[in-house]
mmCIF file of all heavy atoms in Angstrom:
data_model
loop_
_atom_site.group_PDB
_atom_site.id
_atom_site.type_symbol
_atom_site.label_atom_id
_atom_site.label_comp_id
_atom_site.label_asym_id
_atom_site.label_seq_id
_atom_site.Cartn_x
_atom_site.Cartn_y
_atom_site.Cartn_z
ATOM 1 N N SER A 48 130.092 -108.115 114.621
ATOM 2 C CA SER A 48 131.393 -108.185 113.950
ATOM 3 C C SER A 48 131.958 -106.793 113.673
ATOM 4 O O SER A 48 133.156 -106.549 113.843
ATOM 5 C CB SER A 48 131.285 -108.952 112.633
ATOM 6 O OG SER A 48 130.937 -110.287 112.870
ATOM 7 N N MET A 49 131.093 -105.883 113.249
ATOM 8 C CA MET A 49 131.547 -104.521 112.951
ATOM 9 C C MET A 49 131.981 -103.789 114.214
ATOM 10 O O MET A 49 132.964 -103.034 114.197
ATOM 11 C CB MET A 49 130.450 -103.757 112.212
ATOM 12 C CG MET A 49 130.196 -104.297 110.819
ATOM 13 S SD MET A 49 128.834 -103.484 109.979
ATOM 14 C CE MET A 49 129.703 -102.070 109.293
ATOM 15 N N LEU A 50 131.279 -104.006 115.305
ATOM 16 C CA LEU A 50 131.686 -103.400 116.571
ATOM 17 C C LEU A 50 133.050 -103.926 117.003
ATOM 18 O O LEU A 50 133.921 -103.157 117.423
ATOM 19 C CB LEU A 50 130.639 -103.661 117.657
ATOM 20 C CG LEU A 50 129.326 -102.898 117.513
ATOM 21 C CD1 LEU A 50 128.297 -103.418 118.506
ATOM 22 C CD2 LEU A 50 129.535 -101.401 117.689
ATOM 23 N N ARG A 51 133.230 -105.231 116.887
ATOM 24 C CA ARG A 51 134.535 -105.823 117.239
ATOM 25 C C ARG A 51 135.632 -105.277 116.333
ATOM 26 O O ARG A 51 136.717 -104.943 116.795
ATOM 27 C CB ARG A 51 134.473 -107.351 117.131
ATOM 28 C CG ARG A 51 133.506 -108.044 118.070
ATOM 29 C CD ARG A 51 133.992 -108.107 119.498
ATOM 30 N NE ARG A 51 135.302 -108.689 119.574
ATOM 31 C CZ ARG A 51 135.593 -109.846 120.133
ATOM 32 N NH1 ARG A 51 134.655 -110.546 120.695
ATOM 33 N NH2 ARG A 51 136.831 -110.287 120.158
ATOM 34 N N GLU A 52 135.348 -105.177 115.053
ATOM 35 C CA GLU A 52 136.314 -104.659 114.084
ATOM 36 C C GLU A 52 136.716 -103.222 114.419
ATOM 37 O O GLU A 52 137.867 -102.827 114.222
ATOM 38 C CB GLU A 52 135.711 -104.716 112.678
ATOM 39 C CG GLU A 52 136.635 -104.204 111.593
ATOM 40 C CD GLU A 52 135.996 -104.249 110.220
ATOM 41 O OE1 GLU A 52 135.073 -105.063 109.986
ATOM 42 O OE2 GLU A 52 136.434 -103.462 109.362
ATOM 43 N N SER A 53 135.778 -102.438 114.941
ATOM 44 C CA SER A 53 136.054 -101.035 115.245
ATOM 45 C C SER A 53 136.811 -100.855 116.560
ATOM 46 O O SER A 53 137.165 -99.735 116.918
ATOM 47 C CB SER A 53 134.748 -100.232 115.297
ATOM 48 O OG SER A 53 134.000 -100.564 116.449
ATOM 49 N N GLY A 54 137.031 -101.969 117.280
ATOM 50 C CA GLY A 54 137.769 -101.893 118.539
ATOM 51 C C GLY A 54 136.904 -101.595 119.747
ATOM 52 O O GLY A 54 137.409 -101.268 120.816
ATOM 53 N N THR A 55 135.607 -101.735 119.584
ATOM 54 C CA THR A 55 134.672 -101.463 120.669
ATOM 55 C C THR A 55 134.858 -102.470 121.804
ATOM 56 O O THR A 55 135.001 -103.661 121.566
ATOM 57 C CB THR A 55 133.215 -101.560 120.163
ATOM 58 O OG1 THR A 55 133.069 -100.684 119.056
ATOM 59 C CG2 THR A 55 132.216 -101.221 121.247
ATOM 60 N N THR A 56 134.839 -101.978 123.033
ATOM 61 C CA THR A 56 134.828 -102.856 124.198
ATOM 62 C C THR A 56 133.384 -103.297 124.401
ATOM 63 O O THR A 56 132.503 -102.461 124.622
ATOM 64 C CB THR A 56 135.335 -102.125 125.451
ATOM 65 O OG1 THR A 56 136.667 -101.703 125.208
ATOM 66 C CG2 THR A 56 135.282 -103.029 126.675
ATOM 67 N N MET A 57 133.157 -104.601 124.287
ATOM 68 C CA MET A 57 131.796 -105.115 124.363
ATOM 69 C C MET A 57 131.344 -105.216 125.821
ATOM 70 O O MET A 57 132.128 -105.567 126.702
ATOM 71 C CB MET A 57 131.720 -106.499 123.701
ATOM 72 C CG MET A 57 132.228 -106.525 122.260
ATOM 73 S SD MET A 57 131.417 -105.362 121.155
ATOM 74 C CE MET A 57 129.818 -106.144 121.011
ATOM 75 N N ARG A 58 130.065 -104.888 126.039
ATOM 76 C CA ARG A 58 129.483 -105.044 127.370
ATOM 77 C C ARG A 58 129.185 -106.515 127.612
ATOM 78 O O ARG A 58 129.018 -107.297 126.680
ATOM 79 C CB ARG A 58 128.178 -104.245 127.467
ATOM 80 C CG ARG A 58 128.386 -102.745 127.346
ATOM 81 C CD ARG A 58 127.115 -101.983 127.671
ATOM 82 N NE ARG A 58 126.050 -102.184 126.714
ATOM 83 C CZ ARG A 58 125.770 -101.356 125.706
ATOM 84 N NH1 ARG A 58 126.502 -100.276 125.511
ATOM 85 N NH2 ARG A 58 124.769 -101.600 124.896
ATOM 86 N N SER A 59 129.052 -106.870 128.886
ATOM 87 C CA SER A 59 128.680 -108.243 129.204
ATOM 88 C C SER A 59 127.234 -108.482 128.784
ATOM 89 O O SER A 59 126.473 -107.535 128.575
ATOM 90 C CB SER A 59 128.851 -108.519 130.692
ATOM 91 O OG SER A 59 128.003 -107.679 131.441
ATOM 92 N N ARG A 60 126.853 -109.718 128.671
ATOM 93 C CA ARG A 60 125.494 -110.050 128.240
ATOM 94 C C ARG A 60 124.474 -109.475 129.195
ATOM 95 O O ARG A 60 124.669 -109.456 130.393
ATOM 96 C CB ARG A 60 125.331 -111.573 128.173
ATOM 97 C CG ARG A 60 126.119 -112.165 127.036
ATOM 98 C CD ARG A 60 125.813 -113.607 126.871
ATOM 99 N NE ARG A 60 124.389 -113.767 126.571
ATOM 100 C CZ ARG A 60 123.794 -114.922 126.375
ATOM 101 N NH1 ARG A 60 124.470 -116.023 126.446
ATOM 102 N NH2 ARG A 60 122.516 -114.982 126.112
ATOM 103 N N GLY A 61 123.396 -108.993 128.637
ATOM 104 C CA GLY A 61 122.317 -108.459 129.453
ATOM 105 C C GLY A 61 122.326 -106.952 129.558
ATOM 106 O O GLY A 61 121.345 -106.359 129.956
ATOM 107 N N GLY A 62 123.411 -106.336 129.212
ATOM 108 C CA GLY A 62 123.485 -104.878 129.201
ATOM 109 C C GLY A 62 123.439 -104.259 130.581
ATOM 110 O O GLY A 62 123.492 -104.947 131.597
ATOM 111 N N PRO A 63 123.299 -102.958 130.639
ATOM 112 C CA PRO A 63 123.381 -102.243 131.908
ATOM 113 C C PRO A 63 122.204 -102.487 132.842
ATOM 114 O O PRO A 63 122.318 -102.266 134.033
ATOM 115 C CB PRO A 63 123.430 -100.769 131.476
ATOM 116 C CG PRO A 63 122.777 -100.735 130.142
ATOM 117 C CD PRO A 63 123.105 -102.071 129.503
ATOM 118 N N ASN A 64 121.085 -102.948 132.327
ATOM 119 C CA ASN A 64 119.902 -103.177 133.163
ATOM 120 C C ASN A 64 119.771 -104.623 133.623
ATOM 121 O O ASN A 64 118.819 -104.979 134.292
ATOM 122 C CB ASN A 64 118.627 -102.769 132.410
ATOM 123 C CG ASN A 64 118.623 -101.297 132.082
ATOM 124 O OD1 ASN A 64 119.077 -100.485 132.873
ATOM 125 N ND2 ASN A 64 118.131 -100.962 130.911
ATOM 126 N N HIS A 65 120.729 -105.446 133.252
ATOM 127 C CA HIS A 65 120.680 -106.861 133.610
ATOM 128 C C HIS A 65 120.894 -107.020 135.114
ATOM 129 O O HIS A 65 121.802 -106.444 135.683
ATOM 130 C CB HIS A 65 121.759 -107.636 132.853
ATOM 131 C CG HIS A 65 121.757 -109.098 133.151
ATOM 132 N ND1 HIS A 65 120.800 -109.941 132.661
ATOM 133 C CD2 HIS A 65 122.581 -109.848 133.891
ATOM 134 C CE1 HIS A 65 121.053 -111.169 133.086
ATOM 135 N NE2 HIS A 65 122.135 -111.135 133.836
ATOM 136 N N THR A 66 120.027 -107.770 135.745
ATOM 137 C CA THR A 66 120.198 -108.039 137.168
ATOM 138 C C THR A 66 120.329 -109.536 137.362
ATOM 139 O O THR A 66 119.806 -110.336 136.586
ATOM 140 C CB THR A 66 118.999 -107.528 137.996
ATOM 141 O OG1 THR A 66 117.799 -108.115 137.484
ATOM 142 C CG2 THR A 66 118.892 -106.014 137.919
ATOM 143 N N SER A 67 121.022 -109.909 138.382
ATOM 144 C CA SER A 67 121.232 -111.322 138.685
ATOM 145 C C SER A 67 119.909 -111.978 139.051
ATOM 146 O O SER A 67 119.043 -111.368 139.671
ATOM 147 C CB SER A 67 122.216 -111.458 139.845
ATOM 148 O OG SER A 67 122.372 -112.801 140.188
ATOM 149 N N ARG A 68 119.765 -113.216 138.704
ATOM 150 C CA ARG A 68 118.539 -113.943 139.031
ATOM 151 C C ARG A 68 118.643 -114.645 140.380
ATOM 152 O O ARG A 68 117.740 -115.336 140.799
ATOM 153 C CB ARG A 68 118.218 -114.951 137.937
ATOM 154 C CG ARG A 68 117.875 -114.271 136.636
ATOM 155 C CD ARG A 68 117.618 -115.284 135.554
ATOM 156 N NE ARG A 68 117.567 -114.588 134.281
ATOM 157 C CZ ARG A 68 116.494 -114.539 133.513
ATOM 158 N NH1 ARG A 68 115.399 -115.162 133.848
ATOM 159 N NH2 ARG A 68 116.514 -113.893 132.377
#
Side-chain angles (χ1 to χ4, degrees):
S48 296
M49 292 176 85
L50 289 170
R51 297 285 306 247
E52 180 181 335
S53 71
T55 305
T56 299
M57 305 304 289
R58 295 189 293 263
S59 62
R60 290 188 61 180
N64 298 323
H65 181 74
T66 56
S67 177
R68 294 178 192 243

